[in-house]
């Protein structure tokens, strides 16, 4: 049995537009020099076509028009390969398959989830004030920082201080690259630069109370320019709230059984992007111990493509079948965080420390257990990588400010997860265009206008204008004005569980003080107290239990 494709209505509202990158083919066949968009088409569930939120990514179509974005002409229609290789098969009538919906009304919802409310009876511990038409000053737990918002980067932080000590001049996500692995035409050009191509500000969600974050929330609006240069209000694009983050530090004196425990609390500045099928939850997260983190949660819907129905149970070389007739291609998500530091003031250096085994020595290391640290100062701009075997850690230090306890240069350590570099080969346009996806860390000398790791213009870019090129200048750094570009990634081999909507895949980069303070900066945070927390023992087992010598239960107060 076959059914007609309901193209007339659904295709126009179910396209995934992508700006295909250059592939170097210039004979005209692929129109590499024109400004074009490739449209991946989907259809609505023919049996439920009146539902606007039906998941069309379960119905990918094997045809893909390419549109001249100047004239809006359809300049060609590509037929996609739907087998295991590059062969293009004649189009065949659609064979019916069932839907795969994510909307709640299409599910049998579980009934045993009880409300979980975040209550702050005395209000939030942070304040927000406008310091200009466009900026907000946030103060929380010794932190102060300014928040901006723009079309390209979305949320940007400026002038970040802790306890009036300068830490960061400017922090922003500078770009993303998502290269796909399918080598077949037209998929070989599929690489999204979600900030450069679309704009994190343009794509920012209007956040909703009670949905996107819990508790006492402050919402920040943005203003960007529209495509005609007119101001466009972007309401509720950043939310600010506090969250509990488990235990920060604890010690129990086993001799007296007195515990001292302090809970961690975080201040979250969150913005969420919807870039066609995908969502990115982007957060700057501060804690009470002087830590700052940048967290990305990738969610939303996989970018899907058709695969022959009879191959549903056959392993595919370029992706995972997530639904009958639906292939989700393998891809990598690369993020580049731009860090313009002022740790302890301006005049910073970037170093990395390796933990290295000591050679055996009859006097100094006779048992072969010794290891020590080896510090390397990055003297010229360039690219660097983590080295797990050496426990490599990058640090931003201020050589002219000494720690009051041990005399070390004050610093902040950068903790990024190990990253598999871009897999596309160095000659490929994927690799050339994703200027930041090959190295874990780039360090450049500050230069005006160098804000976006993938270059200023990523649409159909061909590489050469981005952080790899800037770093290659070999600029001397010294204790000058370095800019650190921290890359992190998600290697995404899709799972069936990622469809029809993907549970968040989370990746976090942390900046932690390293010999910056003179002791644990959270030593003055009040202990966790039942009088404040009002926790409830559900089984009553703890009620009335008091161990010998224990003073005041969990909070250890006298
Ligand atoms: Cu992905």
């Amino acid at each position: 049995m076959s059914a007609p494709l309901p193209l007339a209505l659904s295709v126009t509202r179910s396209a995934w537009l992508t700006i295909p990158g250059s592939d170097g083919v210039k004979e005209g066949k692929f129109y590499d020099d024109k400004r074009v968009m490739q449209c991946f088409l989907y259809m609505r569930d023919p049996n439920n076509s009146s539902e606007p939120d039906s998941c069309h990514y379960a119905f990918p179509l094997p045809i893909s028009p390419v549109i001249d974005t100047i004239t809006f002409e359809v300049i060609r229609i590509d037929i996609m390969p739907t087998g295991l290789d590059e062969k293009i098969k004649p189009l065949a009538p659609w064979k019916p398959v069932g839907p795969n919906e994510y909307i709640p009304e299409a599910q049998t919802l579980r009934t045993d989830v009880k409300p979980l409310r975040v209550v702050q009876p005395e209000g939030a511990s942070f304040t927000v004030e406008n310091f200009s038409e466009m900026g907000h000053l946030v103060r929380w737990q010794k932190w102060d920082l300014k928040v901006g918002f723009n079309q390209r980067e979305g949320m940007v932080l400026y002038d970040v201080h802790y306890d009036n000590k300068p830490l960061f001049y400017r922090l922003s996500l500078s770009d993303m690259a998502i290269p796909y692995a399918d080598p077949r035409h037209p998929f070989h050009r599929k690489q999204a630069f979600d900030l450069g191509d679309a704009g994190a500000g343009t794509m920012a969600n209007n956040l909703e109370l009670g949905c996107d974050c819990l508790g006492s929330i402050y919402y920040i609006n943005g203003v960007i320019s529209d495509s005609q240069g007119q101001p466009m209000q972007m309401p509720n694009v950043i939310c600010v709230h506090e969250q509990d983050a488990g235990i920060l530090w604890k010690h129990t004196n086993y001799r007296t059984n007195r515990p001292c425990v302090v809970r961690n609390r975080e201040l979250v500045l969150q913005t969420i992007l919807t870039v066609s099928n995908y969502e990115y939850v982007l957060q700057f997260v501060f804690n009470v111990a002087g830590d700052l983190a940048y967290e990305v949660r990738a969610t939303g819907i996989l970018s899907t493509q058709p695969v022959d129905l009879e191959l549903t149970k056959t392993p595919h070389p370029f992706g995972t079948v997530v639904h009958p007739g639906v292939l989700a291609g393998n891809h990598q998500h690369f993020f580049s965080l731009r860090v313009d530091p002022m740790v302890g003031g301006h005049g910073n250096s970037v170093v990395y420390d390796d933990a290295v085994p000591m050679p055996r020595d009859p006097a100094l290391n006779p048992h072969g257990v010794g290891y020590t640290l080896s510090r390397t100062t990055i003297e010229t701009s360039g690219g660097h990588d983590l080295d797990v075997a050496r426990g490599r850690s990058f640090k931003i230090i201020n050589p002219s400010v000494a720690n009051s306890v041990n005399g070390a240069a004050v610093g902040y350590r950068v903790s990024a997860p190990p990253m598999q570099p871009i897999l596309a080969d160095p000659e490929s346009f994927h690799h050339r265009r994703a200027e930041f996806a090959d190295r874990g860390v780039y360090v450049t000398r500050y230069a005006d206008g160098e804000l976006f790791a993938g270059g200023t213009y990523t649409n159909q870019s061909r590489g050469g204008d981005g952080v790899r090129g800037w770093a290659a200048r070999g600029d001397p750094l010294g204790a000058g004005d370095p800019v650190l570009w921290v890359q992190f990634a998600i290697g995404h081999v899709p799972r069936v569980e990622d469809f029809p909507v993907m549970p968040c895949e989370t990746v976090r980069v942390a900046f932690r003080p390293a010999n910056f303070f003179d002791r644990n900066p959270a030593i003055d945070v009040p202990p966790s107290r039942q009088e404040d927390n009002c926790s409830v023992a559900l089984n009553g087992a703890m009620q009335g239990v008091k161990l010998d010598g224990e003073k005041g239960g969990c909070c250890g107060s006298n």
Side-chain angles (χ1 to χ4, degrees), residues 278 302 331 333 492 502:
Y278 255 114
L302 294 159
H331 56 279
H333 298 249
H492 197 174
M502 181 178 146

Side-chain angles (χ1 to χ4, degrees), residues 172-178 280-284 293-298 332-339 386 414-422 436-442 485-491 505-511:
S172 64
L173 184 68
S174 80
D175 215 334
M176 299 184 201
I178 301 95
Y280 293 98
V281 182
L282 307 174
Q283 298 183 338
F284 284 106
Y294 189 75
E295 182 174 297
V296 173
R297 296 179 182 214
Q332 298 174 281
H333 298 249
F334 292 98
F335 308 90
S336 179
L337 188 70
R338 182 180 182 277
V339 181
L386 287 172
V414 183
S415 296
M419 180 189 96
Q420 181 180 32
I422 186 169
F436 48 93
D438 55 342
R439 307 303 296 266
V441 168
Y442 274 107
W485 308 74
V486 182
Q487 280 67 247
F488 50 103
I490 298 169
E505 191 81 36
T506 303
V507 60
R508 188 182 250 216
V509 174
F511 299 86

Side-chain angles (χ1 to χ4, degrees), residues 385-454:
D385 296 301
L386 287 172
D387 185 339
V388 175
R390 295 165 74 88
R392 179 167 296 170
S393 67
F394 289 84
K395 296 185 177 78
I396 304 162
I397 63 167
N398 192 323
S400 61
V401 181
N403 183 278
S404 63
V405 174
N406 63 12
V410 297
Y412 257 67
R413 190 180 77 203
V414 183
S415 296
M419 180 189 96
Q420 181 180 32
I422 186 169
L423 284 157
D425 81 42
E427 296 303 311
S428 69
F429 277 85
H430 270 5
H431 191 286
R432 291 193 220 180
R433 300 179 67 218
E435 285 254 334
F436 48 93
D438 55 342
R439 307 303 296 266
V441 168
Y442 274 107
V443 185
T444 59
R445 190 170 68 188
Y446 175 85
D448 285 345
E450 293 182 354
L451 288 171
F452 312 129

Side-chain angles (χ1 to χ4, degrees), residues 238-435:
I238 298 172
C239 65
V240 187
H241 69 279
E242 293 173 282
Q243 65 188 18
D244 180 78
I247 289 172
L248 177 65
W249 63 263
K250 177 171 184 174
H251 178 63
T252 299
N253 183 341
Y254 75 86
R255 299 163 191 84
T256 64
N257 274 331
R258 178 179 172 182
C260 285
V261 57
V262 165
R263 292 194 73 75
N264 195 8
R265 189 184 293 203
E266 293 177 334
L267 180 77
V268 178
L269 281 73
Q270 175 176 268
T271 188
I272 303 178
L273 319 183
T274 297
V275 193
S276 291
N277 53 306
Y278 255 114
E279 263 76 14
Y280 293 98
V281 182
L282 307 174
Q283 298 183 338
F284 284 106
V285 183
F286 301 83
N287 84 356
V288 290
D291 292 2
L292 162 62
Y294 189 75
E295 182 174 297
V296 173
R297 296 179 182 214
T299 178
I301 303 180
L302 294 159
S303 171
T304 57
Q305 64 194 67
V307 65
D308 296 339
L309 210 48
E310 55 271 26
L311 294 175
T312 293
K313 297 279 172 75
T314 305
H316 198 283
F318 310 125
T320 304
V321 174
V322 294
H323 185 71
V326 180
L327 184 72
N330 298 331
H331 56 279
Q332 298 174 281
H333 298 249
F334 292 98
F335 308 90
S336 179
L337 188 70
R338 182 180 182 277
V339 181
D340 189 345
M342 53 174 185
V343 173
H346 291 286
N348 287 175
S349 293
V350 181
V351 302
Y352 58 85
D353 289 332
D354 291 345
V356 293
M358 292 168 58
R360 284 237 177 194
D361 180 273
L364 192 57
N365 187 27
H367 307 290
V369 300
Y371 71 92
T372 188
L373 287 188
S374 164
R375 170 160 289 189
T376 304
T377 300
I378 299 175
E379 304 281 1
T380 55
S381 63
H384 301 269
D385 296 301
L386 287 172
D387 185 339
V388 175
R390 295 165 74 88
R392 179 167 296 170
S393 67
F394 289 84
K395 296 185 177 78
I396 304 162
I397 63 167
N398 192 323
S400 61
V401 181
N403 183 278
S404 63
V405 174
N406 63 12
V410 297
Y412 257 67
R413 190 180 77 203
V414 183
S415 296
M419 180 189 96
Q420 181 180 32
I422 186 169
L423 284 157
D425 81 42
E427 296 303 311
S428 69
F429 277 85
H430 270 5
H431 191 286
R432 291 193 220 180
R433 300 179 67 218
E435 285 254 334

